[in-house]
Amino acid sequence: MRTETLEVPTPDGRADAFAAFPDDGGRHPGVLLYPDAFNLRPVLEGMARELAGHGYCVLVPNLFYRHGPAPVVDLPEHIGEDVRSEVIGRVWPLIKEHSTERILRDADAYLGFLGSRPEVADGPVGVVGYCMGAALAMRTAAARPDRVAAVAGFHPGMLVTDASDSPHRLLADLTADVHLGVAEGDLSPEAAAELGEALDAAGVAHDIELYPGTVHGFTMSDTDAFDASALRRHWDRLLALLARTLTAG
């Protein structure tokens, strides 16, 4: 496959990003991949390469590009429980600044970029997110039903909140098929029920699947939360969703 480190023009500047493409000369469906709170780093680049190996053109943006190129916050090679709280403390102000308005401005830029690439097939794209990226993926899919046919979120965060613009309150126009792979403790029973009701009301195919025995962050191999069997399940679910919803070029 072919990979690039590139910049995506946005209304607020230029977002550095990692992209991976199948290297067969064909056109393939696009996938926008939103990182977790620890942002763009080698483990996310590896996920993009994996997806490209299955025939997708993948874009992974630096969520916090307004504060500089990735890594915006210095990260240890392995984010163990002994440093996790301290790292989250440094990332949290960036997360709080990442408003719904910013998210959607950026989403339009990322989707437009994918649509402009000659490697990307005409037709809808998939959007995937991890941790806070799952909320970004859901917001993107709900705001751009004309462009997004699949949305997946793993160990999601901030999908159901008390805010008036909580993602679960904005799904009326959603048309994408949805898979959410949830760690134990990610969603309370009440929050899961509320989210399920919102997805039912939108009339979309969806499942909210508990990944037993996992903790938040289970897909991320550079953290103590990593669970190899849950990562394999994640790939099984994600690849099935994309194959079902996206048209090959």
Side-chain angles (χ1 to χ4, degrees):
M1 75 201 61
R2 182 167 51 83
T3 64
E4 294 182 27
T5 299
L6 45 80
E7 291 186 337
V8 179
T10 79
D12 298 333
R14 299 183 71 84
D16 53 303
F18 179 85
F21 306 97
D23 195 15
D24 59 5
R27 302 180 72 204
H28 298 271
V31 173
L32 172 58
L33 194 160
Y34 284 119
D36 62 358
F38 298 133
N39 204 17
L40 176 57
R41 60 193 192 283
V43 69
L44 274 301
E45 294 175 3
M47 289 177 162
R49 290 188 180 94
E50 179 76 19
L51 279 173
H54 289 277
Y56 300 96
C57 299
V58 188
L59 179 69
V60 191
N62 167 15
L63 301 179
F64 308 131
Y65 70 88
R66 293 171 180 85
H67 294 271
V72 176
V73 171
D74 289 335
L75 299 173
E77 186 174 335
H78 184 83
I79 306 168
E81 285 304 308
D82 57 328
V83 298
R84 181 183 178 89
S85 294
E86 188 270 332
V87 175
I88 287 289
R90 287 188 281 129
V91 172
W92 189 247
L94 306 180
I95 296 172
K96 289 176 67 177
E97 287 183 13
H98 207 53
S99 64
T100 301
E101 292 75 16
R102 283 186 174 186
I103 292 166
L104 296 183
R105 286 200 303 271
D106 289 348
D108 276 342
Y110 302 147
L111 294 175
F113 177 84
L114 282 171
S116 73
R117 294 288 299 209
E119 304 94 336
V120 179
D122 295 334
V125 304
V127 186
V128 185
Y130 300 86
C131 180
M132 67 171 285
L136 273 60
M138 194 72 82
R139 290 188 188 280
T140 300
R144 292 300 305 271
D146 58 316
R147 292 285 287 124
V148 181
V151 58
F154 298 94
H155 40 87
M158 298 180 283
L159 280 177
V160 180
T161 74
D162 293 333
S164 60
D165 65 346
S166 172
H168 80 287
R169 303 185 196 280
L170 304 175
L171 301 183
D173 295 327
L174 183 72
T175 58
D177 286 11
V178 177
H179 173 78
L180 297 173
V182 179
E184 294 184 2
D186 275 341
L187 289 173
S188 69
E190 296 78 14
E194 197 168 353
L195 180 57
E197 290 170 3
L199 290 166
D200 286 340
V204 297
H206 65 276
D207 64 292
I208 303 173
E209 181 179 3
L210 176 66
Y211 285 34
T214 60
V215 297
H216 184 75
F218 59 77
T219 63
M220 297 297 156
S221 61
D222 61 352
T223 75
D224 283 354
F226 179 61
D227 184 307
S229 63
L231 178 65
R232 289 192 295 272
R233 179 187 294 217
H234 141 280
W235 284 123
D236 289 344
R237 303 298 192 266
L238 177 56
L239 291 171
L241 172 69
L242 298 179
R244 186 172 72 246
T245 55
L246 304 186
T247 303

